[in-house]
Amino acid sequence: MGSNAETLEFQAETRQLLRLVIHSIYSNKDIFLRELISNASDALDKLRLESLTDSSLVEDTTDLHIWLEADKDARTLTVRDNGIGMSRDDLVELIGTIAKSGTADLLQKIKESKDTATAESLIGQFGVGFYSAFMVADKVTLRTRRAGTSSGTQWESDGEGVYTIQEVDGLPVGTTVTLHLKPTDSEDGLADYLSEPKIRQIVKQYSDFIRWPIRMATEHTGADGEITRDVDTLNSMKALWARPRSEVSEDEYHEFYQQISHDWQAPAETIHMRAEGTFEYEALLFIPSQAPFDLFSRETKPGVQLYVKRVFIMDDCEALMPNYLRFVKGVVDAHDLSLNVSREILQHDRQIRGVRRRLVKKVLGALKDMQAKDAERYAKVWTQFGRALKEGLIEDTDNTDALLELVSAASTHDPEKTTTLRQYVERMKDGQESIYYLTGETRAMVENSPHMEAFTAKGYEVLILTDPVDEVWVDQVPAFDGHRLQSIAKGQVDLDASADGDQETDADKAQREQDFAALLPWLATTLSEQVKQVRLSSRLTTSAACIVGDAHDVTPTLEKMYRAMGQQLPTVKRILELNPTHPLITALRTAHAANADDPALAEIAELVYGSALLAEGGDLPDPARFTRLLTDRLTRAL
């Protein structure tokens, strides 16, 4: 035993997480063994891979396994592996500290979760299942030695805020976790975890598909009463993806999904495929029912593992799945790759690119089938992952058509249900050429926008797009099924040209333009710092004015997004449109015709512009000045 023992405190967030895990999260305490076995399996995978890729690493990998040992006298349960092991620094970083962004967000979501299953899923997704050992143990002792090093480390804690760590000599490579078990308590869900049948049941239920043997010494009593001791392998070790789908039950799929995803809920869809020919591989993919808490974190990685001939190669293989499908979990087992393959090589491998294309089409096809056959289930999946899928409309031009078919959006057609683009097109008015949409922060803000007035009055359906990504993809996609997507807040909108039976004559338009011929250029000059043009509007029915962009202008929301990311864009001036029938605008025209030099008219012009800006949810350039002008004007009116 080394003499350099230290007592350290857990990081503050780690202490909070420990308390949640031990006292309030897991209703099923059996899963502690699943988590420890899963960690041991990862360690064996890593040693196997490192021994294949690092010629300087000299370790025996001929019998990689997990060993379980129950000591009834000492009341300890030990989980041992001969995998990669950990260094002292690894222990402090992985167990004493949660060095992940989003920790505070995770803790808040766990506290706010309405049900235990959601909280358990969040814990598992964050990758800190080791702490579940403290649900069943008063003390946990961990001994480990990293492959390629000569010195080992012992870590020990009672889970109450501190841990001790010290150097230990003479340890084998790998990790041994010893749980000093609490007394059995059926009321608190603490089973007899030293019982051989209970251990077998947990391993069979949660870890049967672990690819490494899980062994345990067992006692058998013969007919003559003689006791014999054997070593049993408790798991089947069958690669589920290599078996025909007809031979795999839904329960087996769900158990395997839980192992690789740490998600308690059943997946929304299972995709099991096998490709033969010039490049053979098997794939078992899952579309989750619930989005992980960190789906939109920058550190989130794809959830597909790569195997080669049943040998684990890497987690989160970016080459197999595009970023917008990062929520898909599963494994791909390729038969024809080299075991000594790197991420850089995979990115440029022609065969892997082919596999990726087929996997993406399979996932999108499965979502399309779900949409057609089970609209309710698809609606739930879209709610969880729609925002990520829409990123594909920006990133994946090869699958634009397939992704557009999947898009589901709120619209003015139904206040509760979303609509697909296909359904929108089927409901379009006779003579309508474009798919109309409006982006905004909330549905209420979009519905109350002045831009909607004429469309509502004339019965045109408008898509309501409120995800930040909507600001980007609608400009990337030219059309759907031959109909272009048109923002009702950009460009010219002439609903009178549509066949709706309520058209304005050319003579009426000409007369109106003549009536406002003096006011429009005066307003454009007066407001030249804010707008690039002032014109009459055909999209307003009740509001005095609105602000629109040119067809190819960056929207104000997108401009804010770019600036928030540190990209400075030149200020984009927009267009002020006036409602020629509104009393305020007609009174302004009359007053301007009577005395164009009246200084009060310029202030009214500012108020018209500011009001239009506020109506669309924009930010006033000088709120104090706007308030002062409005107050003065109201005072004069009383």
Side-chain angles (χ1 to χ4, degrees), residues 206-335:
Y206 297 115
S207 305
D208 194 48
F209 306 126
I210 293 291
R211 68 184 303 270
W212 306 106
I214 303 171
R215 297 172 184 161
M216 184 171 69
T218 58
E219 293 183 350
H220 302 279
T221 303
D224 57 359
E226 183 179 354
I227 297 176
T228 59
R229 287 179 171 80
D230 297 310
V231 173
D232 286 357
T233 298
L234 307 184
N235 60 323
S236 69
M237 297 180 289
K238 293 180 180 177
L240 205 64
W241 59 85
R243 292 162 54 187
R245 179 157 194 159
S246 59
E247 296 180 7
V248 184
S249 70
E250 285 302 308
D251 286 343
E252 287 178 306
Y253 280 131
H254 293 174
E255 288 167 16
F256 181 74
Y257 168 72
Q258 288 175 357
Q259 285 183 23
I260 63 173
S261 69
H262 301 283
D263 183 359
W264 272 112
Q265 299 189 35
E269 189 64 50
T270 300
I271 303 168
H272 195 164
M273 58 187 291
R274 178 183 180 89
E276 297 179 336
T278 55
F279 189 76
E280 294 188 7
Y281 64 92
E282 292 116 359
L284 179 54
L285 306 176
F286 301 93
I287 300 173
S289 300
Q290 174 181 292
F293 79 97
D294 59 349
L295 180 62
F296 297 102
S297 166
R298 289 184 178 181
E299 296 180 4
T300 300
K301 297 178 180 178
V304 177
Q305 302 171 352
L306 175 64
Y307 285 75
V308 174
K309 303 182 187 74
R310 313 285 174 82
V311 176
F312 173 79
I313 300 299
M314 67 181 70
D315 278 317
D316 53 70
C317 184
E318 298 97 333
L320 288 172
M321 199 62 66
N323 186 57
Y324 71 91
L325 293 178
R326 56 190 175 276
F327 55 86
V328 175
K329 306 294 183 183
V331 299
V332 173
D333 190 349
H335 295 193

Side-chain angles (χ1 to χ4, degrees), residues 69-85:
E69 184 177 327
D71 186 332
K72 295 186 178 181
D73 294 332
R75 282 201 59 76
T76 60
L77 178 65
T78 297
V79 181
R80 180 183 302 118
D81 68 73
N82 55 346
I84 193 70

Side-chain angles (χ1 to χ4, degrees), residues 136-426:
V136 300
D138 291 318
K139 183 171 68 173
V140 177
T141 303
L142 185 154
R143 291 185 162 198
T144 185
R145 178 161 73 90
R146 180 75 162 75
T149 66
S150 58
S151 178
T153 308
Q154 174 176 298
W155 179 100
E156 191 168 79
S157 178
D158 59 6
E160 292 298 327
V162 299
Y163 60 91
T164 61
I165 192 166
Q166 59 187 309
E167 185 178 324
V168 179
D169 298 325
L171 292 183
V173 167
T175 300
T176 299
V177 180
T178 301
L179 309 183
H180 303 264
L181 295 174
K182 297 176 181 178
T184 300
D185 185 346
S186 57
E187 291 186 4
D188 194 31
L190 286 166
D192 181 4
Y193 295 116
L194 298 173
S195 162
E196 179 187 323
K198 181 61 177 178
I199 294 172
R200 285 180 178 274
Q201 175 255 314
I202 295 174
V203 171
K204 182 66 177 176
Q205 181 175 356
Y206 297 115
S207 305
D208 194 48
F209 306 126
I210 293 291
R211 68 184 303 270
W212 306 106
I214 303 171
R215 297 172 184 161
M216 184 171 69
T218 58
E219 293 183 350
H220 302 279
T221 303
D224 57 359
E226 183 179 354
I227 297 176
T228 59
R229 287 179 171 80
D230 297 310
V231 173
D232 286 357
T233 298
L234 307 184
N235 60 323
S236 69
M237 297 180 289
K238 293 180 180 177
L240 205 64
W241 59 85
R243 292 162 54 187
R245 179 157 194 159
S246 59
E247 296 180 7
V248 184
S249 70
E250 285 302 308
D251 286 343
E252 287 178 306
Y253 280 131
H254 293 174
E255 288 167 16
F256 181 74
Y257 168 72
Q258 288 175 357
Q259 285 183 23
I260 63 173
S261 69
H262 301 283
D263 183 359
W264 272 112
Q265 299 189 35
E269 189 64 50
T270 300
I271 303 168
H272 195 164
M273 58 187 291
R274 178 183 180 89
E276 297 179 336
T278 55
F279 189 76
E280 294 188 7
Y281 64 92
E282 292 116 359
L284 179 54
L285 306 176
F286 301 93
I287 300 173
S289 300
Q290 174 181 292
F293 79 97
D294 59 349
L295 180 62
F296 297 102
S297 166
R298 289 184 178 181
E299 296 180 4
T300 300
K301 297 178 180 178
V304 177
Q305 302 171 352
L306 175 64
Y307 285 75
V308 174
K309 303 182 187 74
R310 313 285 174 82
V311 176
F312 173 79
I313 300 299
M314 67 181 70
D315 278 317
D316 53 70
C317 184
E318 298 97 333
L320 288 172
M321 199 62 66
N323 186 57
Y324 71 91
L325 293 178
R326 56 190 175 276
F327 55 86
V328 175
K329 306 294 183 183
V331 299
V332 173
D333 190 349
H335 295 193
D336 304 307
L337 283 176
S338 166
L339 293 175
N340 189 16
V341 65
S342 67
R343 293 182 186 272
E344 290 72 26
I345 292 173
L346 286 173
Q347 293 293 341
H348 301 96
D349 187 276
R350 179 178 57 82
Q351 293 175 319
I352 286 293
R353 289 202 299 270
V355 172
R356 174 184 170 123
R357 284 194 297 271
R358 287 189 285 274
L359 294 179
V360 170
K361 290 187 181 299
K362 198 72 174 179
V363 170
L364 297 182
L367 289 169
K368 181 63 179 174
D369 289 343
M370 187 192 303
Q371 183 189 57
K373 298 174 182 177
D374 193 340
E376 185 176 346
R377 182 161 57 105
Y378 178 75
K380 292 178 181 177
V381 170
W382 180 262
T383 298
Q384 296 293 318
F385 304 109
R387 183 177 159 194
L389 284 164
K390 285 186 284 191
E391 293 173 14
L393 292 166
I394 305 166
E395 303 168 4
D396 188 359
T397 55
D398 291 339
N399 289 295
T400 296
D401 291 342
L403 285 163
L404 283 174
E405 292 284 358
L406 295 175
V407 169
S408 186
S411 87
T412 55
H413 175 71
D414 192 305
E416 302 293 335
K417 295 181 180 179
T418 58
T419 184
T420 65
L421 296 180
R422 179 67 58 195
Q423 292 167 333
Y424 179 102
V425 168
E426 290 171 354

